[in-house]
Amino acid sequence: MKFSSFGKKFTKNSGILQLMDDLGKALASDKPINMLGGGNPAVIRSVNTVFQDTLIKIANDRHALESMANYSTPQGDAKFIATLVDFFNRHYGWGLTADNIVLTNGSQNGFFYLFNLFAGHFDDGEKAILLPLASEYVGYAEAHIDDTHFLSIPPIIEEINHDGEEGFFKYRVDFDKLENLPELTNGKIGAICCSRPTNPTGNVLTDKEMARLDRLAKKYNIPLIIDNAYGAPFPNIIHTQATLNWDTQTILCFSLSKIGLPGTRTGIM
């Protein structure tokens, strides 16, 4: 069989493909395993008990069957979206409506859509996704339909003390280089994207850094995409001060996988 250019690109090996393949094969083996990487959530028995009890309640609710036995809109399940609108507005007061939220079959697919919406071939030339701090999530690689459209900036690595002990360091955005990028001023950047906390380093961009990235996105009228797969408000694996903000220039991305439900394949944007 002959594949198209698209087919050839998406049948070759990639970082995320190898990562998920390793996780799946490990879980299917008969050997004892300890999941130490790959973003696979830890098995917490008390949490799994809550999930199991909830599933039983859902199975006994006729409305759950109605939801599964009917099509949702392309945007996603309307009741779940309404629940998310209520949740975010209750916790953050953002004034969201259902029009602000879309569900995807996994956050990985969500980033596929976003990266191909805002980077690639345009009528006025090529545009890239700007990663303000590298290293970044391996799953972003190979997400573009044609070629690779990323531009990244190496971080400033600052040696720090933690609880009075030496030997620690902090990644910081090199704003001197970032704000003077020719690609920003000449319109070659389609969006700014960062994970918070950063995968795989665990670095948490500070509120001041996020505010500065927000101003930069507004200056050049491009979206600021924030990957909250491990961040606030769920599962909130952040052990420092971090404020979650949203406005119409910001795209926040969430996943149910890191709260312990990767098999649901649910992404929220």
Side-chain angles (χ1 to χ4, degrees):
M1 284 184 232
K2 291 185 178 180
F3 289 150
S4 66
S5 297
F6 176 92
K8 289 176 182 177
K9 178 177 175 65
F10 283 92
T11 52
K12 71 179 185 179
N13 195 28
S14 65
I16 188 62
L17 182 66
Q18 183 176 339
L19 177 63
M20 294 295 105
D21 194 45
D22 288 346
L23 290 175
K25 287 179 178 177
L27 287 168
S29 74
D30 58 356
K31 305 292 184 183
I33 57 169
N34 291 298
M35 285 297 185
L36 301 178
N40 205 69
V43 175
I44 303 173
R45 296 192 185 281
S46 57
V47 174
N48 279 358
T49 298
V50 173
F51 290 154
Q52 185 173 14
D53 292 344
T54 304
L55 280 170
I56 292 171
K57 290 178 182 177
I58 290 172
N60 291 328
D61 184 348
R62 65 179 180 85
H63 296 294
L65 181 60
E66 290 176 2
S67 178
M68 290 185 285
N70 291 290
Y71 286 111
S72 295
T73 69
Q75 185 184 358
D77 185 86
K79 290 182 180 179
F80 184 35
I81 290 173
T83 300
L84 289 166
V85 168
D86 177 69
F87 173 84
F88 286 119
N89 286 341
R90 185 158 28 92
H91 283 273
Y92 299 105
W94 288 337
L96 298 179
T97 70
D99 291 337
N100 294 116
I101 294 179
V102 66
L103 306 178
T104 62
N105 52 333
S107 60
Q108 191 72 35
N109 273 16
F111 282 98
F112 172 82
Y113 301 142
L114 289 172
F115 290 161
N116 284 289
L117 273 171
F118 295 112
H121 302 297
F122 286 71
D123 291 340
D124 57 350
E126 303 284 322
K127 293 183 187 292
I129 301 293
L130 175 59
L131 306 175
L133 185 140
S135 57
E136 258 293 2
Y137 175 42
V138 67
Y140 296 160
E142 308 298 335
H144 290 106
I145 292 175
D146 52 0
D147 302 323
T148 299
H149 304 281
F150 289 108
L151 181 64
S152 62
I153 303 294
I156 296 172
I157 302 178
E158 177 185 331
E159 293 186 6
I160 61 171
N161 291 333
H162 178 67
D163 288 340
E165 295 185 20
E166 297 181 350
F168 294 89
F169 53 90
K170 168 75 175 168
Y171 290 87
R172 299 196 184 278
V173 178
D174 190 340
F175 280 102
D176 287 341
K177 289 184 179 179
L178 188 70
E179 293 173 342
N180 291 289
L181 274 179
E183 289 84 356
L184 270 172
T185 57
N186 63 20
K188 298 300 181 183
I189 298 298
I192 300 171
C193 177
C194 61
S195 55
R196 193 187 193 215
T198 304
N199 183 356
T201 64
N203 181 68
V204 179
L205 291 169
T206 66
D207 286 353
K208 287 184 178 180
E209 286 174 314
M210 296 306 300
R212 201 162 171 179
L213 290 175
D214 180 65
R215 290 195 298 271
L216 198 63
K218 286 183 170 65
K219 178 179 179 179
Y220 293 102
N221 194 29
I222 55 177
L224 172 61
I225 303 169
I226 306 170
D227 183 351
N228 297 281
Y230 295 91
F234 47 80
N236 202 30
I237 308 175
I238 295 182
H239 303 289
T240 185
Q241 174 62 36
T243 306
L244 187 65
N245 294 312
W246 176 84
D247 59 37
T248 53
Q249 200 84 19
T250 302
I251 301 173
L252 298 178
C253 302
F254 308 93
S255 171
L256 296 189
S257 66
K258 302 308 178 287
I259 66 170
L261 296 172
T264 60
R265 308 309 303 146
T266 303
I268 301 161
M269 297 191 296

